[in-house]
Amino acid sequence: MAYLLIGRKSGTVRFEPLDNGLVEKESESYSSSVTSNPIENGAEINDHVNNASGVLSISGIIIGGDGAINALKEMRDSRDILTYIGVTRMSNLVFTSLKFDRSYKNRDGASFSASLKQIQITSAEYIPMNGQMSMTSQDAGKSNSSQLARTTNAGMTTVSLQSVSAVAADRYQAAYTRTSSPAPLTRKTGAYDGLTIMN
């Protein structure tokens, strides 16, 4: 049986007994944490379970040169997302540790051990706009509409467009830039110091 470690961008490492090596041991582990909220009588309420990512550990022997060793190092160095196919099958894995042990008994290879962790891959939510051009395209002046083509992304700056008269734009700007009335400088009522009323 062949054991495969397939990378999305760094190729495949294939372990075949009596050819380039073998995987001797596979180990899967999964863990979860439970929230604990204490209440007045000393008990705890457990209302949520968080499942941690799965972890795969493999170990084995590489023979016949450094080809597989270099390929595993490249997968780790490039932070490649991997799929493992052996007795166990797992996908969306990344290396968290990779170790090689060389000895005189295997001069052209090494024994190895690796730990891989599953990652969650998400993407931004996509909402179809039924043929309407996105706002970012409109801001970039890519619209076929002559009105939208004149719009620009100016941040917090007030922009006067052709469809708005200059007088209206001036009134709008004045509404936000005029000074406010000053606060009174003296109190109109007496203050109380705890003992007597002062004027």
Side-chain angles (χ1 to χ4, degrees):
M1 176 182 179
Y3 298 84
L4 302 175
L5 198 56
I6 304 165
R8 292 190 179 181
K9 55 187 176 183
S10 57
T12 300
V13 176
R14 183 181 181 95
F15 296 101
E16 294 188 22
L18 305 178
D19 182 13
N20 68 334
L22 60 97
V23 175
E24 298 178 311
K25 185 177 179 182
E26 299 174 359
S27 174
E28 298 174 76
S29 64
Y30 303 93
S31 62
S32 301
S33 60
V34 181
T35 59
S36 297
N37 300 299
I39 57 176
E40 290 181 6
N41 67 0
E44 290 183 344
I45 296 176
N46 307 113
D47 61 353
H48 196 70
V49 177
N50 295 314
N51 291 332
S53 298
V55 175
L56 173 68
S57 298
I58 58 174
S59 59
I61 296 173
I62 296 171
I63 60 175
D66 289 341
I69 293 172
N70 293 334
L72 291 173
K73 286 180 180 178
E74 173 62 26
M75 287 177 169
R76 182 216 165 254
D77 292 344
S78 64
R79 304 174 185 89
D80 205 352
I81 298 173
L82 311 169
T83 298
Y84 178 78
I85 300 173
V87 177
T88 303
R89 288 175 171 253
M90 290 180 78
S91 58
N92 295 335
L93 298 166
V94 293
F95 276 109
T96 55
S97 69
L98 179 61
K99 180 181 177 184
F100 298 100
D101 292 315
R102 299 178 187 265
S103 74
Y104 69 93
K105 294 180 181 179
N106 185 5
R107 292 191 298 180
D108 293 332
S111 60
F112 74 95
S113 60
S115 182
L116 301 106
K117 186 172 184 176
Q118 278 188 315
I119 58 171
Q120 299 292 328
I121 299 174
T122 61
S123 60
E125 184 177 357
Y126 171 74
I127 302 174
M129 300 183 66
N130 298 327
Q132 297 296 321
M133 187 166 289
S134 66
M135 291 178 66
T136 53
S137 297
Q138 295 172 11
D139 287 345
K142 297 177 184 175
S143 173
N144 292 331
S145 166
S146 59
Q147 180 63 33
L148 291 177
R150 287 194 296 270
T151 64
T152 58
N153 183 359
M156 297 296 288
T157 306
T158 302
V159 179
S160 175
L161 302 176
Q162 246 179 349
S163 61
V164 178
S165 68
V167 174
D170 290 341
R171 286 181 186 161
Y172 170 78
Q173 197 126 16
Y176 289 96
T177 57
R178 67 177 173 221
T179 58
S180 59
S181 60
L185 300 177
T186 59
R187 294 176 65 101
K188 292 185 177 180
T189 58
Y192 181 61
D193 65 357
L195 299 173
T196 60
I197 295 178
M198 303 180 68
N199 291 323

